[in-house]
Amino acid sequence: MTTQTQKEKDYSNAIEVKNYINGKWVPSVTGRTFERENPANINEIVSIVPLSNQEDILKAIEAAKNAKKMWQGTPAPKRAEIIYKAGQILLERKEELARLMTREMGKVIEEARGDVQEAIDMAFYMGGEGRRLFGYYVPSELKNKWCIAVRDPIGVVAAITPWNFPIAIPAWKIFPALVAGNTVVFKPSEHTAACAAEFVKALEEAGLPEGVLNMVVATGKDCGTLLFEHPDIDMISFTGSLAVGKLACEVAGRHMKKVMTELGGKNAIIVMDDANLDLAVDGITWSAFGTTGQRCTACSRIIVHEKVYDEVIERVAEKIKQLRIGNGLDPNTQVGPLAFEAQLRKVEHYVEIGKNEGRLVIGGERYTEGECANGYFYSPTLFADVEPNATIAQEEIFGPVLSAIKVKSLDEAIEVNNSVQYGLSAGIFTQDINKALYAVQWIRTGICYVNGQGTIGAEIQLPFGGVRGTGNGHREAGIAGIESYSEWKSIYIDFSGRLQRSQIDA
Ligand code: UN1
């Protein structure tokens, strides 16, 4: 045990992370590192990670390019077996990885287990896809001729992932990309590089050949637009902010590359006057404050029918009061810290704005009880009487801040739901099937929940993604994930033995 003053850092459990290039764990050419602190106790250094530069990235791109032909020539069922095995390894290590995740980015242990589980689910799903990767046959307009559509790999995929789902999001991108025959340059967030390295190790141990997956830890600033514009990167898969997503699309557009973006959310739960309010209040609290609001699916608006508005505000506030805030390693904790200081500052910034835009019901300040004084904790916050066009009801906060908006009808609720620049996920609580289905029909988001968890908790077998500013039309997960990471190739086979001209001889 190290004894320490406030300022002394504890390195006793720090993990040194390296880049993974062409099957080898190597330091960055820069020799520069970043010390990642535990957000629940900033004196504890969890990982020391390389801050790589473009030279490192070029090496990774080169390795991925060189491995392309070998990997594309490996039968898909064989590729998928490696992914399935990686899933088994993740399952064996689930607890260890979850604990690392909680220390590295703060989410509570139960949710960290869920994060690893999501990757395991994806591995098992994509493990099965190796023997499907369905294409199709359609009849030809001509005799003795077949028309078949098959999937081709895209090439080298740049997978750029955020810190909020340190293992699940890499799994969403990398497992389908690999099973579809692509090689990968993986750039995780520097904030969760230790988790990313563990994810890569599972694939390494499962037998992934060298060069197929390469990991480089770098800040977005240091790698610039290299991954977006390099001629040997064939596809960019990016999860992160709208600003960087737009840049990815612009640069990739100039270079005619496929780009898939999963960006922000400003998700809402609609509560109608006939809702089961116990269920609604539970769903709201879970969706708004789970992962400390740091999910792109997090609920940050509740749109409540005027007849139950006061009661819902009162009951949500009551639930918030009961939430246990603290270090996520304590199994009783429900709300962990924000992931790093800039997140905390962002939340503080929006709460200041919110004080002029709504009535602060509860929260609105840092949480510094006991040991929480050493971390980036923020009290779950609720603003009532917020106008739909207020800044806090429009911009993504990515923290534990919820705004309540009062409406008179279902149509008005749907209109408010759809009036933001993002369109990822939405939920409705009502006991009336007609209202529920009407809402599902008119809500414009990529994901929609009825009397469910609220806005979070998507399962991996359905498409994941959103409309408007949330994405550019592609989806992760399920069969849509395979779609995103493959190209169609249409094949015409004529066995008539003579020239048959389509559209003419038919
Ligand atoms: C994210 O926040 O970027 O649906 C992903 C959910 C999780 C994934 C969230 N399965 O909330």
Side-chain angles (χ1 to χ4, degrees):
M1 267 250 141
T2 18
T3 43
Q4 51 184 294
T5 63
Q6 277 288 55
K7 289 201 181 84
E8 266 173 21
K9 299 284 178 195
D10 174 4
Y11 291 89
S12 56
N13 288 311
I15 297 172
E16 203 186 322
V17 178
K18 292 201 169 120
N19 290 333
Y20 185 69
I21 298 175
N22 210 22
K24 305 226 159 34
W25 293 95
V26 290
S28 159
V29 296
T30 65
R32 286 166 57 223
T33 53
F34 162 71
E35 293 186 353
R36 172 67 197 165
E37 60 201 11
N38 179 341
N41 169 17
I42 61 171
N43 297 329
E44 183 196 347
I45 301 300
V46 177
S47 47
I48 301 167
V49 310
L51 285 180
S52 312
N53 66 9
Q54 301 205 345
E55 203 182 322
D56 297 299
I57 293 174
L58 287 172
K59 287 183 183 166
I61 296 174
E62 182 70 16
K65 183 188 168 191
N66 291 340
K68 230 157 72 163
K69 198 152 185 211
M70 174 277 300
W71 189 240
Q72 291 179 2
T74 304
K78 290 284 159 219
R79 297 195 296 248
E81 272 169 29
I82 297 174
I83 292 156
Y84 193 88
K85 190 150 181 222
Q88 288 173 312
I89 294 170
L90 291 172
L91 182 59
E92 280 160 26
R93 298 205 186 135
K94 183 172 165 181
E95 190 58 26
E96 178 198 326
L97 295 181
R99 294 185 76 80
L100 172 64
M101 191 183 296
T102 297
R103 287 172 55 232
E104 195 176 33
M105 61 68 72
K107 71 169 68 175
V108 302
I109 188 70
E110 204 178 20
E111 290 188 45
R113 290 185 193 118
D115 190 309
V116 183
Q117 187 58 48
E118 202 161 331
I120 297 165
D121 295 343
M122 190 61 98
F124 291 167
Y125 183 98
M126 291 301 164
E129 272 309 309
R131 286 184 188 270
R132 284 194 294 256
L133 286 184
F134 286 127
Y136 53 90
Y137 163 91
V138 287
S140 167
E141 64 189 40
L142 293 160
K143 285 183 187 163
N144 298 323
K145 186 180 168 190
W146 282 350
C147 300
I148 304 167
V150 300
R151 293 182 190 279
D152 252 1
I154 295 175
V156 178
V157 173
I160 304 166
T161 61
W163 45 266
N164 69 330
F165 274 79
I167 294 193
I169 293 182
W172 293 1
K173 295 189 188 303
I174 293 169
F175 290 154
L178 292 179
V179 76
N182 304 284
T183 60
V184 177
V185 175
F186 171 31
K187 193 199 86 58
S189 161
E190 69 276 17
H191 293 288
T192 49
C195 282
E198 292 306 312
F199 173 80
V200 171
K201 279 181 201 160
L203 279 155
E204 182 187 32
E205 284 179 41
L208 195 70
E210 61 185 35
V212 173
L213 169 63
N214 305 276
M215 179 182 97
V216 180
V217 188
T219 64
K221 227 167 88 204
D222 286 338
C223 69
T225 52
L226 181 61
L227 281 171
F228 301 158
E229 62 197 356
H230 194 283
D232 292 327
I233 296 285
D234 302 292
M235 173 184 174
I236 297 136
S237 177
F238 171 78
T239 298
S241 71
L242 177 58
V244 178
K246 280 184 181 169
L247 182 69
C249 290
E250 279 169 26
V251 178
R254 260 184 265 135
H255 295 267
M256 287 299 286
K257 288 180 201 297
K258 184 166 185 178
V259 52
M260 161 154 93
T261 56
E262 294 292 350
L263 311 172
K266 191 68 195 173
N267 315 296
I269 293 175
I270 297 172
V271 184
M272 292 309 292
D273 52 348
D274 58 25
N276 172 341
L277 290 189
D278 292 336
L279 193 61
V281 168
D282 282 346
I284 290 167
T285 315
W286 168 231
S287 291
F289 305 114
T291 331
T292 320
Q294 301 171 113
R295 291 198 194 207
C296 49
T297 50
C299 170
S300 61
R301 301 180 294 155
I302 48 173
I303 304 168
V304 188
H305 193 279
E306 59 183 1
K307 282 195 194 145
V308 289
Y309 181 80
D310 290 337
E311 187 181 351
V312 169
I313 300 287
E314 198 180 306
R315 290 178 66 175
V316 171
E318 200 45 51
K319 271 267 170 270
I320 290 176
K321 257 188 229 155
Q322 293 160 17
L323 288 172
R324 292 181 299 270
I325 304 165
N327 189 320
L329 284 181
D330 178 344
N332 292 315
T333 300
Q334 291 166 296
V335 182
L338 290 158
F340 46 88
E341 193 179 348
Q343 278 294 109
L344 177 68
R345 301 290 165 234
K346 191 173 172 206
V347 168
E348 287 177 335
H349 166 76
Y350 277 110
V351 167
E352 279 318 303
I353 293 173
K355 285 176 182 165
N356 295 317
E357 290 186 327
R359 172 167 62 89
L360 179 63
V361 180
I362 188 166
E365 58 193 2
R366 281 186 76 160
Y367 183 84
T368 53
E369 288 294 305
E371 293 189 341
C372 290
N374 273 343
Y376 300 125
F377 292 90
Y378 200 88
S379 300
T381 298
L382 173 63
F383 284 104
D385 309 342
V386 177
E387 292 298 323
N389 59 2
T391 305
I392 57 166
Q394 288 286 328
E395 294 183 12
E396 185 179 49
I397 301 175
F398 225 61
V401 181
L402 180 63
S403 296
I405 299 164
K406 193 197 283 191
V407 290
K408 291 188 167 64
S409 67
L410 181 57
D411 275 315
E412 188 187 349
I414 293 167
E415 200 183 307
V416 170
N417 178 76
N418 294 346
S419 73
V420 290
Q421 64 176 327
Y422 299 109
L424 181 54
S425 142
I428 179 164
F429 286 91
T430 173
Q431 307 267 52
D432 181 333
I433 190 165
N434 292 345
K435 284 184 190 149
L437 295 181
Y438 183 82
V440 167
Q441 175 174 277
W442 290 108
I443 281 173
R444 294 287 176 250
T445 55
I447 303 169
C448 199
Y449 291 88
V450 177
N451 293 330
Q453 307 175 70
T455 57
I456 68 175
E459 301 179 26
I460 64 92
Q461 61 276 29
L462 276 181
F464 182 94
V467 300
R468 298 191 294 281
T470 296
N472 62 337
H474 299 288
R475 292 290 185 274
E476 309 259 23
I479 196 64
I482 294 291
E483 193 68 45
S484 295
Y485 293 100
S486 57
E487 293 276 15
W488 282 113
K489 181 189 276 167
S490 300
I491 306 169
Y492 300 94
I493 305 169
D494 191 315
F495 49 96
S496 68
R498 58 194 174 86
L499 177 69
Q500 300 196 87
R501 297 170 303 170
S502 45
Q503 290 93 39
I504 294 169
D505 296 333

